[in-house]
Amino acid sequence: MLHLRVVSPAQTTPQVLRLLEAEAGVAHLVLHRGAAVRPAGDVVEADVARECADALLSDLRTLDLDHHGALTLESLDTVLSDSADRAEEAAPGEGSDAVLWDELIARTGEESRLSFSFQAFLTIACLLAAIGAITDSSVLVVGAMVLGPEFGPLAAVAAGLVLRRRDLVRRGGTALAVGFPLGMAITAAATVLFDATGLLVSADLDGLDDVAFIYQVGPFSLIVALLAGVAGTLALTSAKSGSLVGVFISVTTVPAAAFASVAAVEGRWSEAGLSALQLLVNLVGIVVAAAGTLLVARWTSARRDRGRELSAG
């Protein structure tokens, strides 16, 4: 269940109540008249089944409440109520499969910003992956995969393409276009330092059996990227965001970027080129798969909304 709070101008409140009362997936409807101070108006609260929340938000937005009032949603971890159970049963579909498009836009928009923390996490992940490659430590490489924050911008690009939101595409694209080159440049500088201090010699890159997957590009590279894109998008759009950790571990974007820098500094151009290709394959594959998953989700949502309108009529 989700908790919905609506700040509504007094003249709009009757329409808000009619919409909420007509929705079978709504429980615990509460009205606080005159409780809102800025903007002034009434406060309407309700618990809403996740599977009907997106359509309900769309209906409420037709009342311009996002401009003249406010709409907020938050997840409820525990709800002990027979009326809530009945509301969830009456709502069509499964809550874990429902997509809240406004929530998706907000999450991808926030996680795709080129910020100091984003760049710091990406750079540290690249450095860890580089050290993992140099020492042939798959544990460090996996740790770098988990730390890398690149899925946020990739998801933003995919969402922007599907929803035709240029701002999301631009924001995510900028984070990737600036973040990866800067992280790779810092990793290359660190590699030069490792060379100068004797911590690294080119021979150390021979026989990297445990991390050779970083620069071994093949059909499975694309297949894994596509699967990761689908899984990551499902995790973002459903109630199973914990699955994102598994997605991070499955893709080699950060390790490929890091090893390309190390190999280039050491003059191993073949490995550097293959690592760069691995990075490109993963980035493109994830965006394509994520966009395809969102298209299917949007089509499914549209069909459910049409069914809802027909049943209501």
Side-chain angles (χ1 to χ4, degrees):
M1 295 290 286
L2 301 171
H3 184 68
L4 170 68
R5 186 183 67 187
V6 182
V7 176
S8 168
Q11 64 272 20
T12 311
T13 301
Q15 297 169 271
V16 173
L17 292 174
R18 280 196 294 271
L19 284 173
L20 294 174
E21 289 171 344
E23 179 56 65
V26 169
H28 314 143
L29 184 58
V30 179
L31 170 63
H32 305 281
R33 291 199 180 276
V37 177
R38 190 171 59 187
D42 303 325
V43 176
V44 182
E45 296 182 280
D47 294 333
V48 182
R50 182 181 175 89
E51 49 267 49
C52 67
D54 188 67
L56 188 57
L57 280 178
S58 297
D59 291 341
L60 291 171
R61 289 180 67 178
T62 62
L63 302 177
D64 283 336
L65 290 171
D66 49 332
H67 300 298
H68 304 299
L71 299 168
T72 59
L73 271 180
E74 59 181 334
S75 297
L76 298 175
D77 294 329
T78 305
V79 179
L80 304 177
S81 165
D82 288 342
S83 60
D85 293 340
R86 288 192 294 270
E88 285 191 302
E89 292 175 3
E94 293 292 334
S96 60
D97 296 333
V99 179
L100 300 180
W101 294 100
D102 289 312
E103 179 187 57
L104 175 65
I105 291 171
R107 290 186 65 181
T108 55
E110 179 63 28
E111 294 175 6
S112 65
R113 295 182 185 278
L114 179 61
S115 61
F116 174 79
S117 59
F118 171 84
Q119 187 63 61
F121 276 119
L122 185 57
T123 301
I124 294 171
C126 285
L127 291 170
L128 282 176
I131 296 172
I134 292 169
T135 59
D136 199 21
S137 171
S138 57
V139 174
L140 277 178
V141 172
V142 171
M145 290 176 172
V146 176
L147 186 61
E150 73 278 9
F151 190 80
L154 291 170
V157 172
L161 291 173
V162 171
L163 301 176
R164 298 180 181 179
R165 290 283 301 267
R166 293 183 180 179
D167 57 324
L168 291 178
V169 176
R170 182 174 60 253
R171 191 178 300 154
T174 299
L176 295 170
V178 175
F180 269 107
L182 182 55
M184 293 170 71
I186 294 174
T187 302
T191 304
V192 172
L193 180 61
F194 296 156
D195 269 335
T197 56
L199 292 175
L200 170 66
V201 294
S202 184
D204 291 337
L205 303 183
D206 293 327
L208 300 178
D209 297 330
D210 289 340
V211 297
F213 65 90
I214 294 174
Y215 56 87
Q216 290 178 348
V217 186
F220 282 113
S221 299
L222 179 59
I223 292 172
V224 169
L226 293 173
L227 292 174
V230 173
T233 304
L234 290 176
L236 275 180
T237 57
S238 70
K240 303 182 183 299
S241 58
S243 303
L244 274 176
V245 174
V247 175
F248 296 151
I249 294 174
S250 67
V251 293
T252 54
T253 47
V254 165
F259 194 75
S261 301
V262 173
V265 169
E266 296 301 316
R268 304 172 74 101
W269 301 110
S270 176
E271 288 96 332
L274 288 173
S275 296
L277 179 59
Q278 181 81 279
L279 173 62
L280 180 62
V281 167
N282 276 272
L283 293 178
V284 172
I286 290 172
V287 170
V288 169
T293 304
L294 289 176
L295 283 172
V296 172
R298 197 177 190 191
W299 176 76
T300 304
S301 297
R303 283 193 62 186
R304 185 167 54 246
D305 291 345
R306 284 197 296 270
R308 176 171 168 268
E309 292 172 359
L310 289 174
S311 62

